[in-house]
Amino acid sequence: MSEQLTIAPKTNHKSLLFSELALDLDNLQAHFAVLGMPYGAAYTPQDYNNDQTNAPTAIRQASDRVIRSPERFDFDIDGPLLQGRDDVRFVDCGDVPADLSDPRGHFRRAELATRKILAAGAIPIVLGGDHGITNPILRAFDDQGPITIVHLDAHLDWRDEVNGIKDGLSSPMRRASELPYVKEIIQIGMRASGSARQEEADYARKWGAEIITAYELHDIGMEAVLARIPDGGRYYLTIDADGLDPTCMPAVAGPAPGGVTFVQARKLIHGLVNKGQVVGMDFVEIQPEKDINQHSCMIAGRLILNFIGAAIRAGYCDTTR
């Protein structure tokens, strides 16, 4: 009997955006598969139960604020969520559980779950959790390269280690840069200060990361930013909630004014979908206790909805693509 890699979400909404719950990853049939990854790598004892662990549940709970029902027409995607197609399968695979007797087991289970999602031909949509969850997810893409990482965030995330932890929330881009199948890293929305020091900024630029501050984005526009991303790529999109401006994304630990707007983030998603192949995405770092009327979780859900609808319209679910 194979190990159970996920468990059903703990929420009044059994799944994200009214999708089908699918916990049998060995027999998965899907085009898009949600995976909750609540737990990262803690820097301090207090971080083992940080509020980001509640985000997958909270985002799912906002489903009826994102769409009233999946068959309703949505102007963001010029049609209903699944574009009126009965053949498109959108599922929720539940959450990767933690185990106190196996402190890093959730990283292994997340990687294995993602591998099974990819093996089924589905695109993983991962709900964090803090930004440390991106590393085990990316490890599952070792046969999917070359990968271009598109990173929307206020912070650089190139620390080599914090308190001896090398795969925590301050290090996902540093660890991604070490994967041989990651060929480009484009970082959008940088502003204010996080854990990065001058040495991390220098290291990222030396590696070849394309760093686009929020202020440059506002000056040149998202279309100009998209033009810097290589055409025809295989893109993994990772969105840190604090990359968005706190006026639309208040539920974050480090709010910084001047961030990416919802309209800009939506344009980025639609642009990536149509210029290449988005092979996976994650949305991380929402702190539900700081949210206002589920506003941040609703925004996260709207961006995921835009990705799914745009991808279907672009032919991602067509056998001829």
Side-chain angles (χ1 to χ4, degrees), residues 149 158 172-180 182 185 203 207:
I149 294 179
W158 278 79
M173 293 304 105
R174 182 69 165 255
R175 298 286 82 83
S177 73
E178 297 166 351
L179 299 174
V182 170
I185 298 177
Y203 189 96
W207 185 87

Side-chain angles (χ1 to χ4, degrees), residues 21-300:
L21 192 61
L23 300 182
D24 183 2
L25 302 189
D26 291 316
N27 296 289
L28 186 65
Q29 294 182 338
H31 295 96
F32 305 95
V34 174
L35 179 67
M37 178 53 172
Y39 306 101
Y43 290 145
T44 68
Q46 292 81 8
D47 287 338
Y48 277 105
N49 192 30
N50 64 36
D51 192 43
Q52 291 94 311
T53 64
N54 299 313
T57 294
I59 295 170
R60 291 184 178 104
Q61 189 63 33
S63 288
D64 56 1
R65 299 205 66 192
V66 178
I67 51 172
R68 295 301 178 95
S69 58
E71 73 276 3
R72 302 274 183 98
F73 187 92
D74 196 298
F75 281 94
D76 278 20
I77 54 176
D78 196 27
L81 174 60
L82 301 184
Q83 300 295 306
R85 289 180 51 169
D86 295 332
D87 60 320
V88 174
R89 296 209 59 199
F90 170 39
V91 305
D92 191 324
C93 297
D95 290 342
V96 176
D99 183 349
L100 290 176
S101 67
D102 183 14
R104 284 306 183 94
H106 58 286
F107 272 35
R108 178 180 56 82
R109 285 186 286 275
E111 180 182 340
L112 289 174
T114 304
R115 288 187 183 279
K116 290 179 182 290
I117 290 169
L118 292 171
I123 299 174
I125 300 171
V126 184
L127 308 178
D130 66 41
H131 219 155
I133 68 98
T134 298
N135 294 138
I137 302 301
L138 281 176
R139 285 198 287 269
F141 284 80
D142 56 355
D143 62 350
Q144 300 286 319
I147 300 290
T148 295
I149 294 179
V150 180
H151 173 214
L152 196 158
D153 201 328
H155 307 119
L156 197 60
D157 291 354
W158 278 79
R159 285 289 292 269
D160 187 41
E161 59 84 24
V162 175
N163 293 342
I165 304 298
K166 296 179 73 71
D167 50 8
L169 60 90
S170 295
S171 303
M173 293 304 105
R174 182 69 165 255
R175 298 286 82 83
S177 73
E178 297 166 351
L179 299 174
Y181 45 94
V182 170
K183 298 304 180 184
E184 296 99 11
I185 298 177
I186 293 94
Q187 301 184 256
I188 305 166
M190 306 296 109
R191 63 196 190 280
S193 64
S195 67
R197 301 157 298 186
Q198 185 67 52
E199 60 196 82
E200 280 83 41
D202 293 343
Y203 189 96
R205 291 189 174 100
K206 183 178 179 181
W207 185 87
E210 178 84 29
I211 300 171
I212 302 165
T213 68
Y215 310 112
E216 183 179 5
L217 165 64
H218 296 320
D219 285 342
I220 67 175
M222 187 57 81
E223 289 183 2
V225 170
L226 281 162
R228 296 189 191 179
I229 300 173
D231 290 338
R234 293 174 61 76
Y235 313 116
Y236 183 91
L237 175 62
T238 177
I239 301 177
D240 187 316
D242 63 34
L244 290 146
D245 192 77
T247 55
C248 69
M249 185 61 64
V252 298
V260 179
T261 69
F262 173 82
V263 172
Q264 290 169 331
R266 177 186 176 273
K267 182 170 284 190
L268 173 66
I269 288 170
H270 283 253
L272 287 175
V273 162
N274 286 287
K275 75 183 294 163
Q277 185 86 14
V278 178
V279 297
M281 72 172 291
D282 63 52
F283 204 111
V284 302
E285 296 283 355
I286 285 180
Q287 293 191 343
E289 67 179 8
K290 294 183 172 69
D291 211 358
I292 302 169
N293 297 326
Q294 297 180 299
H295 190 70
S296 302
C297 293
M298 182 270 292
I299 291 291

Side-chain angles (χ1 to χ4, degrees), residues 301-321:
R302 291 299 305 173
L303 291 174
I304 292 168
L305 175 148
N306 270 271
F307 167 62
I308 294 169
I312 296 170
R313 289 183 65 84
Y316 278 41
C317 303
D318 299 343
T319 57
T320 57
R321 180 178 169 87

